[in-house]
Amino acid sequence: MLKTLLTAIITTALLPAGFAQKKPLTHDVYDDWKDVDAQRISNNGQYVVYEVNPAQGDGTLYLHDTNQTTPQTFSRGKQPEFTHDSQFLIFKTVPPYDTVRQMKLAEKKEKELPKDSLIVFNLGDSQPAGEYERVKSYRLPKKAGGWLAFLHESPLDTATEAQEDSTQTDSDHPTIALKEKPDKPEGNELVIVNLETQEEWHYERVDEYFFSEDGSRLAFTQVAGDSTGSAGVSAFDTESQSLLPIDTGKVSYKQLALSRDGNSVAYLASEDSLKADNRYHRLYLWTENSEAALVADTATSALPNNWMVSEHGKLDFSHDGQRLFFATAPRPVEYAYEEDTTLLDEERVKVDVWSWKDPFIQPMQLERKEEEMKRSYSAVYDLSSQKITQLGSKEMPGIRFDRDKRLTYVIGIDDTPYRKQISWDYPFRRDTYLVNVSNGETEKFAESTTGYPQISPSGNYAYWYESRDSSWHAYDIATQKTVNLTENIDANFYDELNDVPALPGSYGSAGWTEGDEHILLYDYYDIWKINPETLEATNLTNGYGRENEIAFRYEELDPEEYFIPRSGEIIISAFDRKTKQSGFYQEHTGNNRPPEKLVLEDYRFYGLQKAQDSDDVIYRKSSFTDFPDVWLSSTDFKKAEELSNANPQQQDYLWGSVELVSWKSADGTPLDGMLYKPENFDLAKKYPMMVYFYERNSDNLHRHWAPSPSRSIINFSFYVSRGYLLFVPDIVYKEGYPGESALNAVVSGTLNIMERGFVDPDRIGMQGHSWGGYQSAYIVTRSNLFRAVESGAPVSNMTSAYGGIRWGSGMSRMFQYERTQSRIGGSLWEYPLRYIENSPLFMADKIETPLLLLHNDEDTAVPWEQGIELFVALRRLNKPAWMLNYNGEPHWVTKYYNQKDFTRRMQQFFDHYLKDEPAPAWMQEGLPATLKGRTLRYEASDK
């Protein structure tokens, strides 16, 4: 016996350290598990920066110099940005997490909490070049280096604080009279820094501030102080390093805008009190070598009658700076009842009047009330002709611009004739117009379209996908003719996997080549190049995608580009729909040769970024076992270097593996799914198994699941680490029978896995949320295959849910049952039996499976009452059921500590039924309202 024990000890000691120490994941790991964020590559490609942040606690900023082997680190670094010239790295440092937490526990006020600092780091000599405390925000010129601007929060005025806190009434200590606060708090200090010389310029009471794109000027607004300084607008010239006063003397200024070259500044100004209910603004324009001039106000004749300049629309210059876009709106209407000051508040009638003629139902109107009260309509001012042109109107409220407002035409959108139908119809429809920016003339070119037309980058065409005929269309602006771009091509440009009772969408477009010569469109696999004038079509990827079941998509590596090169090399992403591998290929746009493989691996590649002035790229790369760290390579992907190592502690924990599985459902439909297996999987053992699903998931084979508390679903890594198998089946739906479709796919897939011999047939659990929650609730009314089930936010009664409201948007729920995810295919009165047959509530008496429900009282997607209907039915039937309601939470659990609680309770529920762990007290004894907030009852019950 002693020899055997000694052998075991020696053997264990000789094992590799990582293997010997591996342990299952626990709830304690969440706070320290890290994520990578804010990855950036400098324009010259020499530097890469990214954040590594834990779920709770202090993160670290990493800076890699590709000429060095070891990165530099900065504790608590956030929001990094390289200057355009790649000379400096700018970032914030945030206060220590524990310090802020302790101060909050001490009930310190928000203004007493420590603030962010700003670091200027010189990349050339790898040394900090400046540090600034109490920084609120910062800005850099988009296309110029050498300058930085930030808002600096002034230190607390302790004397003022003492006065504000004083409530003394003793005659020996008379109350200190506080000075009257201004209408609006004073702004902050603006600091402008020359990064080369470190010279600074300071300006007080600043509110808005922006650099011109080329960095030549920085414009800012100032608010009025209590006794010093009036409101105004100024510009700082970075070449002369001098201040240019633009305007002063008005009560307030807002909506600041600069042209790209800094030669023009626009803003809104008002002389109305900040406390006024209705404030009227004037639009002003300042140009170099001239004073600020009034462009528009309530007296401007070019505006529609009784309209005004809107403070709620954004000011923006066109790309060439020759047009200024702004917004207008009808003047507020005063109503006698509203203005009646003889009424007490409790005497005012508060009523919602629902009318069958309303374009939007009342809940939608109420949800959009603030938006509608702030609705504005686009207009444009031509700097050369000094002419104002109204573009949008009540009859055509939507205006869609090209990216930089460069073109002569914009798209006008009018959905008003179809608003009533959005309660039950999908896709939504609209009429679309071509609007001439120069004179405001409109021309309808598509009626009742389901598409969202855009203008081609050279301005020659309006183009869109039309789901009514599953084709792409182009409207030639010069000839005023519409052509169907894809009807004669032997390929499908609609979603081939569409299984909802609505017209299918498209796979999208890559863009246009120079001069609008060709448009590049996607089918399921390949990229097509189509001439909109001749309709000549070429399969750019030469059919290689369909032949090899690889989907190709264009990678836009330059966010400033308007065109895909007419003849040149491009990078395209690749996703093997069969094996789920991904990577990148190279394609030449001047011919239709097969694409050249650069990298295709059993990983998920995403987040590709290219340096502006070099071939260096960074990207993320993950698998189930590999965290998506940051990688560095060049555009040929021949040499790749892993830069980050966010979670080295993962090697200390049991993890597992995943494989793709295939089978046929009960009705013969071929299906795929994913099977996750615990580490050190043993074919001879019998494992408990969890089943999770949500429509199709198998394309996520190489997704990494970091251990984290759940907002709605089980964490894959957590359960597999703790010895569970996890099966994730795909589901294909049959119109009118969503529940039956889920039953066929899930049960047939589960039985297929069970036939392999390593699943404990008495230890199978199921979990789903929202649409998955509905399906899990439905399945247990038809099958006793599962030992325990968690169903999150399920629709249990489609007959009552159909007539309900999605309170987040105010929309009727009809459209989703008739045309989208619920897939019934018609109204309640057309298919009453479908609604009943697909509702778990009507078969609640057939449920034999213990059920844990999650449904929160502020759910705006699925009515909370749906969970209640199922729970009270099961309670009435004396079936084992629990329901978790996290107060004030929406469709899922959003607050971090609520997520940790939900994750723990769900694990305890499944461990009890699938691993025979003792039931916790909350399951056995409940959690009475009298104990709410006093105990969590995680402990094992003694009953």
Side-chain angles (χ1 to χ4, degrees):
M1 180 68 178
L2 178 61
K3 181 178 179 180
T4 302
L5 179 60
L6 287 173
T7 301
I9 294 173
I10 293 171
T11 302
T12 302
L14 292 175
L15 286 173
F19 181 85
Q21 298 173 359
K22 282 196 172 183
K23 52 196 174 186
L25 291 165
T26 67
H27 299 295
D28 297 328
V29 307
Y30 300 147
D31 290 358
D32 293 328
W33 216 272
K34 299 173 183 66
D35 197 7
V36 172
D37 195 12
Q39 57 271 17
R40 307 278 191 274
I41 186 167
S42 62
N43 283 341
N44 66 0
Q46 184 177 343
Y47 305 99
V48 176
V49 67
Y50 53 86
E51 300 172 14
V52 176
N53 299 311
Q56 298 277 283
D58 297 325
T60 302
L61 188 72
Y62 286 78
L63 172 64
H64 289 259
D65 183 336
T66 56
N67 295 326
Q68 306 292 329
T69 56
T70 304
Q72 291 183 273
T73 59
F74 307 92
S75 180
R76 306 188 310 281
K78 287 280 193 181
Q79 300 177 26
E81 293 290 347
F82 291 110
T83 56
H84 185 265
D85 57 11
S86 303
Q87 296 300 306
F88 295 90
L89 171 68
I90 316 296
F91 61 93
K92 283 186 176 183
T93 56
V94 298
Y97 174 84
D98 286 339
T99 299
V100 174
R101 186 174 184 276
Q102 290 302 316
M103 293 183 72
K104 287 181 177 180
L105 285 172
E107 298 184 348
K108 296 292 183 181
K109 298 177 182 178
E110 178 66 29
K111 55 189 174 183
E112 295 178 293
L113 299 179
K115 305 300 180 183
D116 299 345
S117 296
L118 189 69
I119 305 296
V120 177
F121 188 83
N122 191 314
L123 297 169
D125 59 17
S126 297
Q127 294 294 327
E131 180 175 355
Y132 305 91
E133 297 182 342
R134 300 184 65 83
V135 171
K136 188 174 184 179
S137 63
Y138 78 90
R139 300 191 191 281
L140 298 170
K142 186 176 181 180
K143 292 187 177 180
W147 291 91
L148 161 71
F150 62 87
L151 283 187
H152 176 265
E153 296 189 54
S154 301
L156 285 174
D157 185 339
T158 54
T160 302
E161 289 297 305
Q163 291 180 15
E164 290 180 352
D165 290 340
S166 176
T167 56
Q168 301 161 329
T169 57
D170 190 282
S171 59
D172 293 333
H173 301 88
T175 302
I176 301 174
L178 299 179
K179 58 184 178 182
E180 184 180 352
K181 294 183 179 180
D183 291 344
K184 183 178 181 180
E186 293 185 11
N188 296 282
E189 180 186 36
L190 172 68
V191 181
I192 304 172
V193 183
N194 184 317
L195 293 173
E196 297 297 334
T197 66
Q198 296 299 301
E199 190 174 359
E200 299 177 8
W201 292 261
H202 297 247
Y203 301 99
E204 298 295 333
R205 299 174 285 102
V206 172
D207 187 15
E208 296 180 86
Y209 68 111
F210 298 98
F211 274 111
S212 60
E213 191 172 282
D214 66 357
S216 61
R217 293 218 168 96
L218 180 140
F220 59 92
T221 61
Q222 291 174 290
V223 298
D226 285 347
S227 58
T228 60
S230 60
V233 180
S234 302
F236 180 85
D237 188 291
T238 58
E239 183 176 352
S240 65
Q241 300 181 6
S242 61
L243 189 68
L244 305 172
I246 291 177
D247 196 358
T248 189
K250 313 295 192 302
V251 172
S252 64
Y253 298 86
K254 65 186 307 183
Q255 291 290 358
L256 190 64
L258 283 80
S259 60
R260 295 173 68 245
D261 59 10
N263 291 336
S264 301
V265 177
Y267 55 92
L268 301 183
S270 176
E271 297 187 21
D272 294 325
S273 168
L274 294 170
K275 295 180 179 179
D277 291 335
N278 296 316
R279 306 184 69 232
Y280 293 88
H281 289 80
R282 294 175 174 177
L283 172 63
Y284 289 87
L285 173 68
W286 173 91
T287 56
E288 192 171 29
N289 302 320
S290 67
E291 295 183 354
L294 176 67
V295 172
D297 64 4
T298 53
T300 301
S301 60
L303 270 56
N305 190 34
N306 288 321
W307 280 39
M308 65 181 186
V309 175
S310 173
E311 64 177 304
H312 303 299
K314 180 182 178 182
L315 298 186
D316 199 10
F317 285 94
S318 60
H319 187 266
D320 62 6
Q322 294 305 301
R323 288 174 175 150
L324 171 62
F325 294 88
F326 64 103
T328 62
R331 298 186 202 179
V333 178
E334 296 183 357
Y335 294 95
Y337 184 77
E338 176 189 18
E339 299 299 317
D340 189 348
T341 58
T342 66
L343 293 174
L344 297 172
D345 183 64
E346 60 262 30
E347 294 173 338
R348 290 187 178 275
V349 175
K350 297 178 176 65
V351 60
D352 298 332
V353 178
W354 297 48
S355 170
W356 68 281
K357 294 182 179 181
D358 286 345
F360 292 142
I361 59 175
Q362 273 287 319
M364 276 190 79
Q365 293 181 43
L366 293 170
E367 185 64 29
R368 298 185 177 197
K369 178 181 176 181
E370 184 174 356
E371 176 186 339
E372 284 298 320
M373 294 182 73
K374 294 180 178 180
R375 180 171 294 283
S376 57
Y377 303 86
S378 296
V380 62
Y381 173 73
D382 188 291
L383 275 66
S384 298
S385 65
Q386 299 185 345
K387 175 185 175 184
I388 291 176
T389 302
Q390 185 69 42
L391 302 177
S393 65
K394 289 184 177 181
E395 294 74 29
M396 191 182 64
I399 297 293
R400 302 188 71 191
F401 295 94
D402 60 286
R403 188 176 70 196
D404 288 327
K405 298 182 171 66
R406 299 175 298 114
L407 304 176
T408 305
Y409 293 94
V410 294
I411 300 293
I413 304 291
D414 177 20
D415 66 350
T416 55
Y418 312 100
R419 287 182 175 177
K420 189 174 181 181
Q421 295 164 236
I422 72 172
S423 287
W424 59 83
D425 195 16
Y426 186 86
F428 305 142
R429 301 173 187 270
R430 61 202 57 84
D431 296 335
T432 55
Y433 297 78
L434 202 64
V435 184
N436 190 314
V437 176
S438 300
N439 55 30
E441 291 181 356
T442 63
E443 176 187 347
K444 185 189 291 188
F445 65 88
E447 186 170 358
S448 189
T449 179
T450 60
Y452 282 95
Q454 303 177 65
I455 301 289
S456 58
S458 285
N460 296 319
Y461 300 94
Y463 67 102
W464 69 99
Y465 173 81
E466 181 55 68
S467 60
R468 290 179 299 176
D469 60 8
S470 300
S471 297
W472 283 88
H473 295 256
Y475 175 78
D476 189 313
I477 294 174
T479 65
Q480 299 183 335
K481 292 182 179 179
T482 300
V483 295
N484 188 313
L485 296 169
T486 56
E487 64 178 341
N488 295 322
I489 301 175
D490 187 20
N492 297 326
F493 293 88
Y494 62 84
D495 181 3
E496 295 182 5
L497 301 183
N498 179 67
D499 59 7
V500 299
L503 300 172
S506 74
Y507 294 108
S509 66
W512 292 74
T513 60
E514 292 100 323
D516 294 347
E517 183 178 359
H518 293 94
I519 184 173
L520 273 60
L521 301 174
Y522 302 131
D523 71 10
Y524 189 46
Y525 293 106
D526 290 297
I527 305 175
W528 290 80
K529 185 171 70 172
I530 303 163
N531 185 307
E533 184 176 352
T534 66
L535 298 184
E536 178 185 359
T538 303
N539 191 315
L540 182 65
T541 44
N542 202 33
Y544 186 91
R546 188 164 293 274
E547 180 182 348
N548 294 278
E549 298 185 62
I550 298 175
F552 292 117
R553 301 294 182 256
Y554 172 63
E555 287 285 335
E556 185 181 70
L557 298 182
D558 181 1
E560 298 293 318
E561 73 178 4
Y562 296 115
F563 301 102
I564 298 169
R566 180 183 294 113
S567 182
E569 303 290 351
I570 60 173
I571 302 296
I572 54 179
S573 67
F575 178 74
D576 190 313
R577 296 195 184 275
K578 181 174 55 179
T579 68
K580 314 305 179 184
Q581 290 182 319
S582 72
F584 302 102
Y585 279 61
Q586 183 173 270
E587 180 59 270
H588 195 286
T589 58
N591 57 50
N592 62 331
R593 71 186 185 193
E596 175 188 350
K597 182 171 68 175
L598 300 174
V599 58
L600 189 69
E601 299 176 351
D602 287 315
Y603 291 94
R604 176 189 176 217
F605 288 81
Y606 66 99
L608 185 66
Q609 296 180 40
K610 179 184 174 297
Q612 178 178 288
D613 303 321
S614 76
D615 288 334
D616 298 292
V617 295
I618 57 173
Y619 55 90
R620 307 286 292 275
K621 174 181 171 182
S622 74
S623 69
F624 175 63
T625 55
D626 295 280
F627 177 84
D629 277 302
V630 178
W631 288 71
L632 171 70
S633 182
S634 61
T635 50
D636 62 9
F637 296 91
K638 289 182 178 178
K639 292 183 180 179
E641 177 187 359
E642 187 175 21
L643 297 183
S644 66
N645 184 19
N647 292 294
Q649 77 279 11
Q650 182 179 318
Q651 65 183 349
D652 299 331
Y653 293 92
L654 296 168
W655 206 259
S657 61
V658 61
E659 63 189 58
L660 196 65
V661 295
S662 300
W663 74 99
K664 289 187 177 180
S665 72
D667 61 4
T669 303
L671 294 171
D672 291 331
M674 300 179 291
L675 178 63
Y676 295 81
K677 295 178 179 178
E679 195 162 329
N680 306 317
F681 174 77
D682 185 348
L683 268 173
K685 289 181 61 176
K686 298 284 188 182
Y687 290 88
M689 184 169 76
M690 287 296 305
V691 178
Y692 167 81
F693 45 84
Y694 193 100
E695 300 201 359
R696 291 182 174 94
N697 262 296
S698 60
D699 284 356
N700 294 315
L701 183 71
H702 297 304
R703 175 178 173 178
H704 183 82
W705 291 81
S708 63
S710 171
R711 70 174 194 171
S712 58
I713 68 172
I714 61 172
N715 182 275
F716 292 11
S717 301
F718 182 86
Y719 277 78
V720 175
S721 175
R722 298 177 65 83
Y724 282 95
L725 292 164
L726 171 63
F727 175 52
V728 185
D730 284 351
I731 302 172
V732 174
Y733 296 91
K734 179 181 177 183
E735 180 179 328
Y737 303 95
E740 182 182 303
S741 300
L743 177 72
N744 289 342
V746 173
V747 171
S748 66
T750 303
L751 292 174
N752 178 274
I753 302 300
M754 292 172 64
E755 290 172 358
R756 306 183 185 203
F758 45 73
V759 179
D760 187 334
D762 298 322
R763 298 289 186 271
I764 303 175
M766 178 170 58
Q767 196 271 329
H769 186 85
S770 190
W771 181 238
Y774 155 71
Q775 292 168 106
S776 61
Y778 176 91
I779 289 171
V780 295
T781 67
R782 267 68 172 181
S783 172
N784 293 327
L785 180 62
F786 302 95
R787 177 77 178 274
V789 169
E790 193 278 334
S791 173
V795 168
S796 62
N797 181 357
M798 287 193 175
T799 66
S800 60
Y802 172 79
I805 300 295
R806 293 182 67 91
W807 292 108
S809 63
M811 293 182 66
S812 165
R813 297 177 58 83
M814 290 181 176
F815 77 95
Q816 73 182 70
Y817 291 92
E818 296 188 35
R819 293 287 172 255
T820 63
Q821 190 174 60
S822 297
R823 297 174 168 90
I824 297 299
S827 67
L828 179 60
W829 45 92
E830 289 178 288
Y831 300 113
L833 292 181
R834 288 186 184 180
Y835 282 85
I836 294 172
E837 291 170 1
N838 282 286
S839 298
L841 182 67
F842 294 102
M843 298 288 285
D845 60 322
K846 301 298 189 292
I847 297 176
E848 301 296 336
T849 306
L851 203 62
L852 174 64
L853 298 168
L854 166 71
H855 217 141
N856 300 323
D857 50 24
E858 292 295 332
D859 193 328
T860 60
V862 176
W864 183 38
E865 291 78 12
Q866 289 293 309
I868 294 174
E869 284 190 47
L870 183 57
F871 174 78
V872 296
L874 294 173
R875 180 175 179 271
R876 160 82 181 268
L877 293 164
N878 206 32
K879 310 278 188 178
W882 298 261
M883 187 168 111
L884 305 176
N885 166 32
Y886 291 90
N887 302 158
E889 292 275 37
H891 189 51
W892 38 65
V893 185
T894 60
K895 297 181 177 65
Y896 184 69
Y897 288 98
N898 283 347
Q899 291 176 345
K900 292 175 76 170
D901 180 86
F902 170 58
T903 303
R904 183 183 294 272
R905 293 187 195 278
M906 184 160 54
Q907 177 237 326
Q908 289 183 325
F909 172 77
F910 283 121
D911 278 1
H912 172 64
Y913 282 108
L914 307 187
K915 286 188 169 184
D916 293 329
E917 295 289 337
W922 67 267
M923 287 179 62
Q924 284 289 83
E925 305 162 36
L927 184 56
T930 55
L931 297 180
K932 181 179 178 179
R934 300 169 62 189
T935 179
L936 296 172
R937 287 201 160 176
Y938 294 148
E939 70 279 3
S941 174
D942 55 6
K943 292 187 178 180

